Amino acid sequence: MDNNFLSNRAGNSGGSMVQDATTIQQMSNYEPHNKILLIEDNPGDARLVEILLSESDLLNCKITNKVNLADGMAALEEADDFAAILLDLTLPDSRGFETLETLLAKYPDNNVIVLTGLQDKSLGINSVKAGAQDFLIKGAFDSDQLSKSLRYSIERNLVLKRLEETQRIANIGNWEYNPTTEEFLASDQIYRIFGLKPRKAGLNYVDILKENHPFRALNEIHQEALANQDRSVRKDIRISKIEGGYRDVFIQCKASVSAESRVILTGIMQDITERKKSEDELLKSQEKYQDFFNKSKDPIYICTMDGKCEAFNEALVELLGYPKEEISNINIHNLITSEKGMDDFFDRLKRNKEVQDFEVEMQRKDGEKRYCLITATMLDSETEESYNGVIRDITERKQAEALRKARDLARTSAKMKEKFIASISHEMRTPMNAILGMSNLVIQTELDPEQFNYISSIKQSSELLLGIVNDILEISTLENGKIKFENKDFDLKELLKNLVNVMQYKVDEKNLRLIVNIEDTVPQFIKGDKLRLNQVLYNLVGNAVKFTDTGDIHIRVLNLYDGDDNVFLKFEVEDTGIGIPKDKVAAVFETFTRIRTKDRIYEGTGLGLSIAKNLVEQQGGKIAAKSVEGEGSTFFFDLVFDIGSQEEASAPTPELDDTIHLDRPIRLLLVEDNKLNQMVAKKTLQKKWSDIDITIADNGQLGVEAIKAKKYDIVLMDIQMPIMDGYEATQYIRANMPPEIANMPILAMTAHANISKDHSYREYGMDDFVLKPFKPEQLFGKIAQYVNNGNGRS
């Protein structure tokens, strides 16, 4: 109960709950100052109070005198720890009964002793009724009376504090409701139970009847108490809090009649939320325990040591596949086998009183074997030995383990395949770099027509071989899901025009016609991966030309659907070639599938259509074919593209400028272990820049030594080399050389095709790369770019 409530009900009392004996002793030895606030404007009366207090048996009293109500209330605002307040009702800024009401309205917890004149004795009596502790008539009280009144006030204040502490410890609060005045008073603890800020003044009943107010629930309690024969009610209820959640409380409420013959409803409330939670948890635990046996998904049984099931749940019935009555009559141990032997199970059970996760096989009635783990515990029994068993079916886990091993094996195989393809690619690209490089060098010399044809044939065959290698790498990348698609604006008509120009020489060789038909509603500018679309179309058109000896090849682009900002396009490539047998149409998209005829073998790896299928499907499209053997085939696919803009699509692509702006010859270090590739690179560069200063190092270590001895403008660094590879050499240079040397441009010059996809060269400090077999114009452009820019790194 809070001080507000008790200050208005002088008849209540309480005790103190002190837990520690040492604290009790300390409290008994401590005599604090009793602060008294005197609000009195008459200096004579104020001095008289001081004299009477000095003559009394009250020690350690400290009086604070204020001459008006405003100053007195300001002193209470600053320090609300006065043991008592002596209040004159006639003050300069307040007179009469209103003085007390004003003070108590703001500070209802304070003990007020009213000072009145002799003629105002009735005013003093009414003041006590209104909430004052006592009243003294000026000129009519002596030191004993003043001491007695103050002592009672001080002791009462201590009692209130102890009672408040007791309520808080016990989590009990109390309230009172006066139906006549509709005044509702509650102790601080009532407010605390619901997380509300305590109110010193009472609540109007209208306030607590608001829909979300916790005290609203007390209205039903009051009605129930008034309706009951004994005018009381005791019950547990759940009350919602304003900010959410709830509190479980025990409530006892009683209706009684006051001295003024008015009905008063009083009640106590105890927070029992935690107790209720504990009870609920216990009840749930008991229910779970009761249901566990029957509702457990794991089979549970109680069995004697000779195999007779005394009790079992439905899960065991499902596991074994036997009717309940049969399980009760069979020896369950006959259905259990283990690689370790069941004797080991029983020995461990008897010796340790328990067995954890013992692996067994359970045989069902239909003969199926299930892999299981049994956890068993011996049961105390005065008759025969028995144990409790819990079975966990791990058949699926066993199967998953087998699948996981198969998956791991497949992944290992895939990685080995990937490494093998990358290795083969590197080994093939290295000599091809020399072949193509030499061909480029020779073709620039003076040749007679016969020699020129020979060299051109070598170059064309090498480019064909390079295309095969690229196809192998491409399909490997696609199957591993490592490809990344761009989304840029491009001109679709220009793409098709360039495609026709590339394929035209093959079409003319076979005297065919290549016809492009674009539906009018197809936008000219779209956004997507231009390179991959061109790659798909190139494969499809290339196949059409390869397998068509007479007639036409049609490329059609259709608009299937127009969206607000995208378009759904269908591409068709139709030929009048040899066609595909009906049972082989679906297979042509598989890797390494080639069309064979009795009288002719067609060149190729059989990867083009597989690459096209992967490229289309990984962009969310579909690809298919229809064909009539001997008449021709139509391959078609669909893709969704964003609608592009001419401005973005027409933005010029920067070309590599191979002009060197140095006023001296280029100093270039070539780190390469292959002698032929050394010669190809050197001769190619000298053809471009006759005065170029080239130093050749056979491996990374020699390259590092060369850099220590001489300053270079740029380094061409092979990656796969003996002693020290290109990555190690680059890292050493970046980490250990002076800045002006460490920051020079280093370009990877490698046959590892994946370097263009994973950009791993950047992790090792390289600035860029040139892929073998290199295109001379690309090599020249990148060298000029980095030499002109100076240091490759900031």
Side-chain angles (χ1 to χ4, degrees):
M1 180 185 293
D2 63 9
N3 297 344
N4 167 47
F5 179 75
L6 289 178
S7 65
N8 292 298
R9 303 291 176 264
N12 291 341
S13 63
S16 173
M17 297 178 68
V18 183
Q19 299 177 355
D20 189 274
T22 303
T23 305
I24 294 174
Q25 183 62 38
Q26 291 173 347
M27 292 174 65
S28 64
N29 294 333
Y30 176 65
E31 190 174 3
H33 288 291
N34 292 311
K35 293 174 63 177
I36 308 297
L37 176 61
L38 173 62
I39 306 177
E40 171 63 71
D41 64 326
N42 188 317
D45 290 339
R47 179 59 182 158
L48 178 62
V49 169
E50 292 179 0
I51 293 171
L52 291 175
L53 271 177
S54 65
E55 294 176 353
S56 72
D57 58 354
L58 276 176
L59 301 176
N60 297 323
C61 282
K62 181 180 179 181
I63 297 178
T64 299
N65 182 211
K66 299 296 179 181
V67 297
N68 57 54
L69 182 60
D71 290 346
M73 293 181 71
L76 288 169
E77 183 72 27
E78 183 177 348
D80 191 15
D81 59 347
F82 291 96
I85 300 172
L86 296 173
L87 175 66
D88 183 12
L89 293 182
T90 304
L91 297 170
D93 56 349
S94 180
R95 303 180 66 81
F97 195 69
E98 181 183 346
T99 305
L100 176 65
E101 289 180 329
T102 302
L103 182 65
L104 288 179
K106 189 169 184 181
Y107 300 102
D109 291 346
N110 292 88
N111 297 322
V112 180
I113 300 173
V114 171
L115 301 177
T116 70
L118 183 61
Q119 67 276 17
D120 295 328
K121 183 175 181 181
S122 61
L123 183 60
I125 294 172
N126 289 332
S127 296
V128 172
K129 292 181 179 179
Q133 174 64 40
D134 200 354
F135 74 93
L136 296 172
I137 299 174
K138 292 182 181 181
F141 64 87
D142 54 18
S143 60
D144 288 340
Q145 289 175 311
L146 177 60
S147 172
K148 179 180 177 182
S149 183
L150 285 173
R151 186 182 299 281
Y152 177 77
S153 177
I154 292 167
E155 289 299 326
R156 178 181 175 277
N157 196 36
L158 290 174
V159 168
L160 291 177
K161 289 181 178 178
R162 291 169 186 158
L163 184 57
E164 171 63 23
E165 183 64 22
T166 300
Q167 285 197 357
R168 186 153 49 148
I169 292 172
N171 223 348
I172 296 175
N174 63 296
W175 82 89
E176 181 177 295
Y177 170 57
N178 187 331
T180 303
T181 63
E182 290 196 336
E183 184 181 17
F184 179 87
L185 295 170
S187 67
D188 288 357
Q189 192 58 31
I190 293 283
Y191 288 91
R192 291 192 193 103
I193 287 173
F194 299 104
L196 301 174
K197 184 177 180 181
R199 292 188 52 160
K200 301 301 182 183
L203 282 172
N204 187 286
Y205 209 56
V206 175
D207 297 330
I208 72 172
L209 288 178
K210 292 178 180 177
E211 185 173 353
N212 63 339
H213 202 289
F215 295 168
R216 179 184 176 89
L218 299 180
N219 182 54
E220 296 180 9
I221 298 297
H222 295 159
Q223 300 301 325
E224 188 175 345
L226 292 170
N228 289 341
Q229 188 174 359
D230 61 352
R231 296 294 183 95
S232 67
V233 61
R234 293 166 55 95
K235 65 188 324 184
D236 294 345
I237 64 172
R238 175 169 291 180
I239 300 178
S240 298
K241 297 167 66 176
I242 291 177
E243 71 278 9
Y246 64 88
R247 305 305 292 175
D248 286 311
V249 294
F250 164 73
I251 283 181
Q252 182 172 344
C253 179
K254 185 173 181 62
S256 57
V257 180
S258 67
E260 292 83 6
S261 299
R262 294 178 178 176
V263 174
I264 300 295
L265 289 152
T266 58
I268 62 170
M269 177 188 296
Q270 183 176 21
D271 188 350
I272 59 170
T273 306
E274 298 307 318
R275 190 191 79 192
K276 277 287 187 182
K277 286 181 179 178
S278 298
E279 291 175 353
D280 290 345
E281 289 299 324
L282 180 59
L283 181 61
K284 289 178 182 177
S285 176
Q286 290 173 342
E287 291 175 349
K288 286 179 180 178
Y289 179 78
Q290 292 171 355
D291 290 346
F292 177 75
F293 192 82
N294 292 321
K295 294 184 178 179
S296 173
K297 293 182 179 179
D298 288 332
I300 303 174
Y301 65 98
I302 297 174
C303 181
T304 61
M305 298 302 284
D306 59 5
K308 180 177 176 56
C309 279
E310 297 177 335
F312 52 88
N313 64 357
E314 189 64 32
L316 184 68
V317 177
E318 294 178 5
L319 174 66
L320 298 180
Y322 284 89
K324 291 182 179 180
E325 57 275 9
E326 289 190 34
I327 294 177
S328 300
N329 296 323
I330 63 175
N331 186 328
I332 192 173
H333 294 161
N334 292 337
L335 306 178
I336 305 174
T337 57
S338 171
E339 290 183 0
K340 298 178 181 179
M342 290 305 293
D343 288 342
D344 182 47
F345 171 80
F346 292 116
D347 288 344
R348 290 164 59 183
L349 181 60
K350 291 179 179 179
R351 182 173 63 253
N352 303 324
K353 303 301 180 184
E354 65 177 8
V355 176
Q356 293 284 336
D357 292 338
F358 190 85
E359 189 167 340
V360 300
E361 286 185 13
M362 305 285 293
Q363 182 170 332
R364 290 171 47 85
K365 184 175 183 178
D366 58 11
E368 179 190 357
K369 294 286 184 81
R370 304 293 292 180
Y371 296 99
C372 300
L373 295 177
I374 295 181
T375 294
T377 306
M378 286 290 289
L379 299 176
D380 293 331
S381 175
E382 296 180 355
T383 55
E384 59 182 331
E385 290 182 327
S386 61
Y387 70 94
N388 175 61
V390 179
I391 302 173
R392 187 147 45 96
D393 190 343
I394 60 169
T395 306
E396 282 71 25
R397 191 182 82 183
K398 281 275 191 180
Q399 294 171 346
E401 287 175 357
L403 289 173
R404 185 168 60 251
K405 289 178 182 179
R407 182 200 63 194
D408 293 343
L409 181 61
R411 285 179 177 175
T412 302
S413 299
K415 288 181 180 178
M416 291 176 63
K417 173 186 172 184
E418 185 179 351
K419 289 181 180 179
F420 174 76
I421 290 175
S423 175
I424 290 298
S425 163
H426 177 270
E427 296 304 318
M428 293 180 70
R429 280 176 171 274
T430 299
M432 283 173 58
N433 184 60
I435 297 170
L436 279 169
M438 290 292 188
S439 300
N440 284 326
L441 290 172
V442 173
I443 212 165
Q444 296 178 51
T445 64
E446 293 184 7
L447 302 171
D448 60 39
E450 184 179 4
Q451 290 172 326
F452 183 83
N453 288 334
Y454 290 157
I455 294 300
S456 296
S457 297
I458 292 172
K459 185 178 179 183
Q460 288 178 9
S461 297
S462 299
E463 288 174 347
L464 177 61
L465 183 58
L466 180 61
I468 293 172
V469 172
N470 288 338
D471 280 350
I472 294 172
L473 284 174
E474 187 73 19
I475 196 66
S476 176
T477 303
L478 286 166
E479 287 178 350
N480 291 331
K482 294 182 178 179
I483 196 165
K484 294 181 180 178
F485 294 94
E486 292 186 343
N487 192 34
K488 295 183 179 179
D489 297 80
F490 65 91
D491 188 333
L492 178 60
K493 290 184 178 179
E494 182 185 8
L495 180 146
L496 294 170
K497 180 181 176 182
N498 291 337
L499 175 66
V500 170
N501 290 338
V502 170
M503 303 300 300
Q504 195 65 52
Y505 80 96
K506 291 185 178 180
V507 172
D508 292 343
E509 280 182 353
K510 304 181 76 170
N511 200 25
L512 303 172
R513 286 197 311 165
L514 183 57
I515 303 168
V516 178
N517 188 341
I518 305 175
E519 199 174 67
D520 293 339
T521 57
V522 174
Q524 181 176 349
F525 300 99
I526 58 177
K527 180 181 286 188
D529 196 317
K530 175 182 177 181
L531 175 64
R532 300 304 177 184
L533 176 60
N534 186 72
Q535 191 174 357
V536 174
L537 289 171
Y538 183 84
N539 276 324
L540 296 183
V541 176
N543 267 4
V545 173
K546 182 192 302 185
F547 296 109
T548 302
D549 294 325
T550 59
D552 302 331
I553 296 169
H554 290 268
I555 302 174
R556 301 187 188 91
V557 185
L558 310 174
N559 187 352
L560 300 181
Y561 168 76
D562 266 325
D564 293 335
D565 53 5
N566 56 32
V567 63
F568 189 22
L569 301 183
K570 181 178 182 180
F571 297 84
E572 293 182 350
V573 177
E574 181 182 6
D575 63 59
T576 55
I578 63 173
I580 307 169
K582 187 175 181 180
D583 60 338
K584 302 292 184 183
V585 172
V588 296
F589 291 104
E590 297 177 4
T591 54
F592 302 108
T593 298
R594 300 173 64 185
I595 299 297
R596 298 179 182 272
T597 61
K598 294 180 180 179
D599 55 352
R600 186 172 174 182
I601 297 176
Y602 293 89
E603 64 183 21
T605 60
L607 292 174
L609 290 177
S610 178
I611 290 172
K613 182 176 186 289
N614 274 278
L615 288 173
V616 169
E617 290 181 349
Q618 288 193 34
Q619 294 181 85
K622 294 181 179 179
I623 188 169
K626 55 184 179 180
S627 181
V628 177
E629 191 172 5
E631 295 182 12
S633 305
T634 302
F635 286 81
F636 50 91
F637 65 93
D638 54 58
L639 283 173
V640 175
F641 295 91
D642 292 336
I643 297 176
S645 67
Q646 183 175 359
E647 293 77 13
E648 293 291 334
S650 302
T653 303
E655 295 184 359
L656 291 174
D657 183 6
D658 58 9
T659 306
I660 299 293
H661 302 305
L662 296 180
D663 55 3
R664 57 173 174 76
I666 308 170
R667 295 189 295 267
L668 182 143
L669 173 63
L670 174 63
V671 187
E672 167 68 64
D673 64 319
N674 186 281
K675 296 298 182 183
L676 284 176
N677 285 334
Q678 289 176 3
M679 184 174 65
V680 168
K682 182 177 180 180
K683 293 296 183 182
T684 302
L685 291 171
Q686 287 175 338
K687 284 275 187 181
K688 178 65 178 177
W689 297 294
S690 59
D691 60 348
I692 189 170
D693 180 3
I694 300 177
T695 301
I696 297 177
D698 290 337
N699 57 58
Q701 183 174 316
L702 294 175
V704 170
E705 296 301 322
I707 290 171
K708 289 180 179 178
K710 182 178 177 179
K711 186 175 181 181
Y712 295 94
D713 298 308
I714 193 167
V715 178
L716 299 180
M717 182 77 72
D718 188 20
I719 291 179
Q720 189 168 313
M721 295 181 292
I723 303 177
M724 178 185 283
D725 64 30
Y727 287 148
E728 293 172 326
T730 302
Q731 285 182 314
Y732 182 88
I733 293 166
R734 299 300 191 202
N736 299 287
M737 298 291 185
E740 64 273 10
I741 298 175
N743 292 330
M744 68 179 166
I746 301 177
L747 308 187
M749 194 169 180
T750 177
H752 287 287
N754 284 337
I755 197 170
S756 63
K757 296 180 175 65
D758 60 20
H759 298 288
S760 57
Y761 63 92
R762 296 189 186 278
E763 299 175 11
Y764 297 92
M766 295 178 171
D767 298 289
D768 209 332
F769 70 93
V770 177
L771 191 61
K772 298 176 187 175
F774 61 80
K775 296 179 179 179
E777 60 274 13
Q778 184 186 43
L779 176 62
F780 301 150
K782 288 197 174 183
I783 289 174
Q785 174 189 344
Y786 285 97
V787 169
N788 291 333
N789 290 339
N791 286 344
R793 304 168 72 85
S794 58

